[in-house]
mmCIF file of all heavy atoms in Angstrom:
data_model
loop_
_atom_site.group_PDB
_atom_site.id
_atom_site.type_symbol
_atom_site.label_atom_id
_atom_site.label_comp_id
_atom_site.label_asym_id
_atom_site.label_seq_id
_atom_site.Cartn_x
_atom_site.Cartn_y
_atom_site.Cartn_z
ATOM 1 N N ARG A 17 8.345 -1.202 5.186
ATOM 2 C CA ARG A 17 8.039 -0.267 6.240
ATOM 3 C C ARG A 17 8.334 -0.817 7.644
ATOM 4 O O ARG A 17 8.354 -0.067 8.629
ATOM 5 C CB ARG A 17 6.597 0.192 6.153
ATOM 6 C CG ARG A 17 5.547 -0.810 6.632
ATOM 7 C CD ARG A 17 4.985 -0.388 7.993
ATOM 8 N NE ARG A 17 3.789 -1.189 8.288
ATOM 9 C CZ ARG A 17 3.823 -2.299 9.003
ATOM 10 N NH1 ARG A 17 4.961 -2.790 9.469
ATOM 11 N NH2 ARG A 17 2.701 -2.965 9.249
ATOM 12 N N THR A 18 8.574 -2.114 7.728
ATOM 13 C CA THR A 18 8.725 -2.712 9.058
ATOM 14 C C THR A 18 9.991 -2.249 9.748
ATOM 15 O O THR A 18 9.998 -2.002 10.964
ATOM 16 C CB THR A 18 8.708 -4.253 8.942
ATOM 17 O OG1 THR A 18 7.450 -4.642 8.395
ATOM 18 C CG2 THR A 18 8.891 -4.888 10.316
ATOM 19 N N GLY A 19 11.056 -2.108 9.016
ATOM 20 C CA GLY A 19 12.306 -1.688 9.652
ATOM 21 C C GLY A 19 13.485 -1.814 8.722
ATOM 22 O O GLY A 19 13.382 -2.344 7.631
ATOM 23 N N HIS A 20 14.612 -1.375 9.171
ATOM 24 C CA HIS A 20 15.833 -1.524 8.396
ATOM 25 C C HIS A 20 17.000 -1.705 9.383
ATOM 26 O O HIS A 20 16.843 -1.449 10.566
ATOM 27 C CB HIS A 20 16.105 -0.317 7.485
ATOM 28 C CG HIS A 20 16.440 0.947 8.233
ATOM 29 N ND1 HIS A 20 15.503 1.682 8.888
ATOM 30 C CD2 HIS A 20 17.628 1.567 8.410
ATOM 31 C CE1 HIS A 20 16.101 2.732 9.434
ATOM 32 N NE2 HIS A 20 17.375 2.693 9.187
ATOM 33 N N GLU A 21 18.104 -2.167 8.872
ATOM 34 C CA GLU A 21 19.251 -2.398 9.728
ATOM 35 C C GLU A 21 19.964 -1.076 10.037
ATOM 36 O O GLU A 21 20.470 -0.418 9.144
ATOM 37 C CB GLU A 21 20.216 -3.373 9.063
ATOM 38 C CG GLU A 21 19.661 -4.757 8.835
ATOM 39 C CD GLU A 21 19.274 -5.452 10.140
ATOM 40 O OE1 GLU A 21 20.081 -5.383 11.096
ATOM 41 O OE2 GLU A 21 18.214 -6.068 10.211
ATOM 42 N N GLY A 22 19.962 -0.704 11.276
ATOM 43 C CA GLY A 22 20.668 0.501 11.717
ATOM 44 C C GLY A 22 22.165 0.226 11.911
ATOM 45 O O GLY A 22 22.658 -0.870 11.679
ATOM 46 N N ALA A 23 22.856 1.254 12.417
ATOM 47 C CA ALA A 23 24.310 1.135 12.599
ATOM 48 C C ALA A 23 24.666 0.042 13.594
ATOM 49 O O ALA A 23 25.751 -0.570 13.520
ATOM 50 C CB ALA A 23 24.883 2.478 13.065
ATOM 51 N N THR A 24 23.747 -0.240 14.555
ATOM 52 C CA THR A 24 24.036 -1.262 15.550
ATOM 53 C C THR A 24 23.682 -2.676 15.081
ATOM 54 O O THR A 24 23.892 -3.632 15.783
ATOM 55 C CB THR A 24 23.244 -0.951 16.834
ATOM 56 O OG1 THR A 24 21.857 -1.026 16.527
ATOM 57 C CG2 THR A 24 23.592 0.413 17.354
ATOM 58 N N GLY A 25 23.080 -2.764 13.875
ATOM 59 C CA GLY A 25 22.643 -4.046 13.380
ATOM 60 C C GLY A 25 21.242 -4.390 13.845
ATOM 61 O O GLY A 25 20.732 -5.472 13.519
ATOM 62 N N LEU A 26 20.612 -3.538 14.626
ATOM 63 C CA LEU A 26 19.276 -3.793 15.134
ATOM 64 C C LEU A 26 18.218 -3.213 14.175
ATOM 65 O O LEU A 26 18.502 -2.219 13.493
ATOM 66 C CB LEU A 26 19.068 -3.189 16.518
ATOM 67 C CG LEU A 26 19.997 -3.697 17.620
ATOM 68 C CD1 LEU A 26 19.759 -2.932 18.898
ATOM 69 C CD2 LEU A 26 19.792 -5.209 17.841
ATOM 70 N N THR A 27 17.068 -3.831 14.136
ATOM 71 C CA THR A 27 15.997 -3.305 13.277
ATOM 72 C C THR A 27 15.452 -2.021 13.878
ATOM 73 O O THR A 27 15.091 -1.967 15.049
ATOM 74 C CB THR A 27 14.888 -4.326 13.140
ATOM 75 O OG1 THR A 27 15.403 -5.491 12.502
ATOM 76 C CG2 THR A 27 13.739 -3.790 12.300
ATOM 77 N N VAL A 28 15.373 -0.979 13.043
ATOM 78 C CA VAL A 28 14.835 0.295 13.452
ATOM 79 C C VAL A 28 13.375 0.367 13.084
ATOM 80 O O VAL A 28 13.014 0.212 11.891
ATOM 81 C CB VAL A 28 15.606 1.440 12.778
ATOM 82 C CG1 VAL A 28 15.047 2.798 13.236
ATOM 83 C CG2 VAL A 28 17.085 1.351 13.136
ATOM 84 N N PRO A 29 12.436 0.528 14.025
ATOM 85 C CA PRO A 29 11.036 0.556 13.678
ATOM 86 C C PRO A 29 10.688 1.789 12.864
ATOM 87 O O PRO A 29 11.298 2.841 12.982
ATOM 88 C CB PRO A 29 10.345 0.604 15.059
ATOM 89 C CG PRO A 29 11.349 1.167 15.960
ATOM 90 C CD PRO A 29 12.671 0.735 15.484
ATOM 91 N N ARG A 30 9.673 1.666 11.995
ATOM 92 C CA ARG A 30 9.260 2.775 11.149
ATOM 93 C C ARG A 30 7.812 3.174 11.522
ATOM 94 O O ARG A 30 7.012 2.314 11.879
ATOM 95 C CB ARG A 30 9.299 2.403 9.677
ATOM 96 C CG ARG A 30 10.445 1.480 9.288
ATOM 97 C CD ARG A 30 11.798 2.065 9.621
ATOM 98 N NE ARG A 30 12.132 3.199 8.749
ATOM 99 C CZ ARG A 30 12.773 3.059 7.598
ATOM 100 N NH1 ARG A 30 13.111 1.876 7.142
ATOM 101 N NH2 ARG A 30 13.088 4.142 6.877
ATOM 102 N N GLY A 31 7.493 4.429 11.397
ATOM 103 C CA GLY A 31 6.163 4.888 11.720
ATOM 104 C C GLY A 31 5.228 4.841 10.534
ATOM 105 O O GLY A 31 4.036 5.125 10.680
ATOM 106 N N LEU A 32 5.724 4.504 9.362
ATOM 107 C CA LEU A 32 4.937 4.531 8.130
ATOM 108 C C LEU A 32 3.879 3.446 8.151
ATOM 109 O O LEU A 32 4.156 2.309 8.520
ATOM 110 C CB LEU A 32 5.857 4.334 6.916
ATOM 111 C CG LEU A 32 5.216 4.380 5.531
ATOM 112 C CD1 LEU A 32 4.720 5.770 5.221
ATOM 113 C CD2 LEU A 32 6.238 3.929 4.496
ATOM 114 N N GLN A 33 2.654 3.807 7.716
ATOM 115 C CA GLN A 33 1.579 2.843 7.602
ATOM 116 C C GLN A 33 1.250 2.631 6.128
ATOM 117 O O GLN A 33 1.155 3.567 5.366
ATOM 118 C CB GLN A 33 0.352 3.328 8.353
ATOM 119 C CG GLN A 33 0.593 3.477 9.874
ATOM 120 C CD GLN A 33 -0.655 3.898 10.611
ATOM 121 O OE1 GLN A 33 -1.711 3.311 10.447
ATOM 122 N NE2 GLN A 33 -0.547 4.940 11.438
ATOM 123 N N ILE A 34 1.007 1.348 5.773
ATOM 124 C CA ILE A 34 0.758 0.973 4.381
ATOM 125 C C ILE A 34 -0.748 0.837 4.196
ATOM 126 O O ILE A 34 -1.435 0.105 4.903
ATOM 127 C CB ILE A 34 1.440 -0.374 4.058
ATOM 128 C CG1 ILE A 34 2.948 -0.259 4.291
ATOM 129 C CG2 ILE A 34 1.128 -0.760 2.636
ATOM 130 C CD1 ILE A 34 3.641 0.833 3.479
ATOM 131 N N LEU A 35 -1.251 1.558 3.177
ATOM 132 C CA LEU A 35 -2.660 1.512 2.815
ATOM 133 C C LEU A 35 -2.795 0.841 1.451
ATOM 134 O O LEU A 35 -2.180 1.266 0.472
ATOM 135 C CB LEU A 35 -3.261 2.916 2.744
ATOM 136 C CG LEU A 35 -3.093 3.817 3.991
ATOM 137 C CD1 LEU A 35 -3.747 5.156 3.697
ATOM 138 C CD2 LEU A 35 -3.687 3.171 5.216
ATOM 139 N N GLY A 36 -3.627 -0.181 1.378
ATOM 140 C CA GLY A 36 -3.876 -0.864 0.126
ATOM 141 C C GLY A 36 -5.017 -0.188 -0.618
ATOM 142 O O GLY A 36 -6.102 -0.011 -0.095
ATOM 143 N N VAL A 37 -4.761 0.178 -1.882
ATOM 144 C CA VAL A 37 -5.789 0.776 -2.749
ATOM 145 C C VAL A 37 -6.620 -0.371 -3.309
ATOM 146 O O VAL A 37 -6.128 -1.212 -4.059
ATOM 147 C CB VAL A 37 -5.150 1.613 -3.881
ATOM 148 C CG1 VAL A 37 -6.253 2.201 -4.793
ATOM 149 C CG2 VAL A 37 -4.268 2.707 -3.310
ATOM 150 N N THR A 38 -7.915 -0.409 -2.956
ATOM 151 C CA THR A 38 -8.773 -1.510 -3.414
ATOM 152 C C THR A 38 -9.260 -1.228 -4.829
ATOM 153 O O THR A 38 -8.730 -1.769 -5.781
ATOM 154 C CB THR A 38 -9.918 -1.700 -2.422
ATOM 155 O OG1 THR A 38 -10.628 -0.440 -2.265
ATOM 156 C CG2 THR A 38 -9.401 -2.163 -1.060
ATOM 157 N N VAL A 39 -10.268 -0.369 -4.985
ATOM 158 C CA VAL A 39 -10.775 0.022 -6.275
ATOM 159 C C VAL A 39 -10.922 1.530 -6.266
ATOM 160 O O VAL A 39 -11.522 2.091 -5.347
ATOM 161 C CB VAL A 39 -12.145 -0.630 -6.620
ATOM 162 C CG1 VAL A 39 -12.687 -0.097 -7.954
ATOM 163 C CG2 VAL A 39 -12.000 -2.152 -6.664
ATOM 164 N N MET A 40 -10.393 2.213 -7.262
ATOM 165 C CA MET A 40 -10.428 3.646 -7.307
ATOM 166 C C MET A 40 -11.863 4.163 -7.255
ATOM 167 O O MET A 40 -12.768 3.558 -7.869
ATOM 168 C CB MET A 40 -9.766 4.172 -8.601
ATOM 169 C CG MET A 40 -8.352 3.689 -8.776
ATOM 170 S SD MET A 40 -7.174 4.578 -7.749
ATOM 171 C CE MET A 40 -7.114 6.140 -8.588
ATOM 172 N N THR A 41 -12.081 5.286 -6.561
ATOM 173 C CA THR A 41 -13.435 5.802 -6.424
ATOM 174 C C THR A 41 -13.969 6.400 -7.713
ATOM 175 O O THR A 41 -15.149 6.741 -7.821
ATOM 176 C CB THR A 41 -13.528 6.860 -5.304
ATOM 177 O OG1 THR A 41 -12.530 7.855 -5.506
ATOM 178 C CG2 THR A 41 -13.324 6.206 -3.940
ATOM 179 N N SER A 42 -13.123 6.533 -8.711
ATOM 180 C CA SER A 42 -13.589 6.963 -10.051
ATOM 181 C C SER A 42 -14.029 5.811 -10.937
ATOM 182 O O SER A 42 -14.449 6.001 -12.069
ATOM 183 C CB SER A 42 -12.478 7.749 -10.760
ATOM 184 O OG SER A 42 -11.358 6.941 -10.984
ATOM 185 N N TYR A 43 -13.979 4.564 -10.377
ATOM 186 C CA TYR A 43 -14.337 3.390 -11.150
ATOM 187 C C TYR A 43 -15.723 2.873 -10.761
ATOM 188 O O TYR A 43 -16.118 2.926 -9.593
ATOM 189 C CB TYR A 43 -13.335 2.224 -10.864
ATOM 190 C CG TYR A 43 -12.065 2.286 -11.662
ATOM 191 C CD1 TYR A 43 -11.498 3.488 -12.042
ATOM 192 C CD2 TYR A 43 -11.381 1.131 -12.029
ATOM 193 C CE1 TYR A 43 -10.333 3.554 -12.802
ATOM 194 C CE2 TYR A 43 -10.208 1.173 -12.754
ATOM 195 C CZ TYR A 43 -9.714 2.384 -13.107
ATOM 196 O OH TYR A 43 -8.521 2.415 -13.832
ATOM 197 N N SER A 44 -16.434 2.367 -11.743
ATOM 198 C CA SER A 44 -17.705 1.705 -11.547
ATOM 199 C C SER A 44 -17.592 0.242 -11.922
ATOM 200 O O SER A 44 -16.533 -0.240 -12.388
ATOM 201 C CB SER A 44 -18.771 2.365 -12.425
ATOM 202 O OG SER A 44 -18.451 2.155 -13.791
ATOM 203 N N ASP A 45 -18.677 -0.513 -11.763
ATOM 204 C CA ASP A 45 -18.669 -1.904 -12.195
ATOM 205 C C ASP A 45 -18.314 -2.022 -13.680
ATOM 206 O O ASP A 45 -17.560 -2.913 -14.091
ATOM 207 C CB ASP A 45 -20.034 -2.545 -11.949
ATOM 208 C CG ASP A 45 -20.300 -2.831 -10.488
ATOM 209 O OD1 ASP A 45 -19.364 -2.820 -9.687
ATOM 210 O OD2 ASP A 45 -21.472 -3.055 -10.121
ATOM 211 N N ALA A 46 -18.879 -1.117 -14.501
ATOM 212 C CA ALA A 46 -18.637 -1.151 -15.934
ATOM 213 C C ALA A 46 -17.146 -0.886 -16.228
ATOM 214 O O ALA A 46 -16.562 -1.511 -17.124
ATOM 215 C CB ALA A 46 -19.494 -0.123 -16.634
ATOM 216 N N ASP A 47 -16.526 0.026 -15.467
ATOM 217 C CA ASP A 47 -15.118 0.303 -15.683
ATOM 218 C C ASP A 47 -14.258 -0.908 -15.384
ATOM 219 O O ASP A 47 -13.287 -1.195 -16.082
ATOM 220 C CB ASP A 47 -14.665 1.479 -14.789
ATOM 221 C CG ASP A 47 -15.316 2.793 -15.179
ATOM 222 O OD1 ASP A 47 -15.491 3.051 -16.376
ATOM 223 O OD2 ASP A 47 -15.693 3.543 -14.269
ATOM 224 N N LEU A 48 -14.595 -1.645 -14.331
ATOM 225 C CA LEU A 48 -13.839 -2.839 -13.980
ATOM 226 C C LEU A 48 -14.004 -3.917 -15.048
ATOM 227 O O LEU A 48 -13.022 -4.588 -15.412
ATOM 228 C CB LEU A 48 -14.312 -3.398 -12.619
ATOM 229 C CG LEU A 48 -13.808 -2.655 -11.373
ATOM 230 C CD1 LEU A 48 -14.277 -3.363 -10.118
ATOM 231 C CD2 LEU A 48 -12.294 -2.507 -11.379
ATOM 232 N N ARG A 49 -15.221 -4.086 -15.533
ATOM 233 C CA ARG A 49 -15.438 -5.067 -16.600
ATOM 234 C C ARG A 49 -14.609 -4.724 -17.828
ATOM 235 O O ARG A 49 -14.013 -5.598 -18.468
ATOM 236 C CB ARG A 49 -16.915 -5.161 -16.941
ATOM 237 C CG ARG A 49 -17.754 -5.893 -15.896
ATOM 238 C CD ARG A 49 -19.133 -6.256 -16.457
ATOM 239 N NE ARG A 49 -19.897 -5.062 -16.792
ATOM 240 C CZ ARG A 49 -20.712 -4.424 -15.934
ATOM 241 N NH1 ARG A 49 -20.826 -4.873 -14.701
ATOM 242 N NH2 ARG A 49 -21.370 -3.343 -16.299
ATOM 243 N N GLU A 50 -14.571 -3.429 -18.174
ATOM 244 C CA GLU A 50 -13.809 -2.995 -19.331
ATOM 245 C C GLU A 50 -12.312 -3.277 -19.158
ATOM 246 O O GLU A 50 -11.593 -3.546 -20.122
ATOM 247 C CB GLU A 50 -14.057 -1.494 -19.610
ATOM 248 C CG GLU A 50 -13.400 -1.007 -20.882
ATOM 249 C CD GLU A 50 -13.724 0.473 -21.151
ATOM 250 O OE1 GLU A 50 -14.478 1.075 -20.348
ATOM 251 O OE2 GLU A 50 -13.273 0.974 -22.163
ATOM 252 N N ALA A 51 -11.850 -3.213 -17.879
ATOM 253 C CA ALA A 51 -10.433 -3.469 -17.591
ATOM 254 C C ALA A 51 -10.115 -4.956 -17.474
ATOM 255 O O ALA A 51 -8.946 -5.316 -17.239
ATOM 256 C CB ALA A 51 -10.042 -2.735 -16.321
ATOM 257 N N GLY A 52 -11.164 -5.797 -17.598
ATOM 258 C CA GLY A 52 -10.905 -7.227 -17.557
ATOM 259 C C GLY A 52 -11.193 -7.948 -16.257
ATOM 260 O O GLY A 52 -10.867 -9.133 -16.109
#
């Protein structure tokens, strides 16, 4: 998401933001234990 090489060879900035998925809200402690 940081950038890519444009026609001029310069890095083109991107507006995309990266979100890390920590633990799904449908999961409990027991679900995590079952998954290892």
Side-chain angles (χ1 to χ4, degrees):
R17 76 105 167 94
T18 299
H20 69 284
E21 295 298 317
T24 63
L26 300 176
T27 297
V28 180
R30 324 302 289 271
L32 182 67
Q33 297 183 51
I34 302 302
L35 306 179
V37 179
T38 55
V39 175
M40 304 284 286
T41 52
S42 61
Y43 277 32
S44 65
D45 286 345
D47 294 320
L48 284 184
R49 286 194 297 271
E50 186 177 0

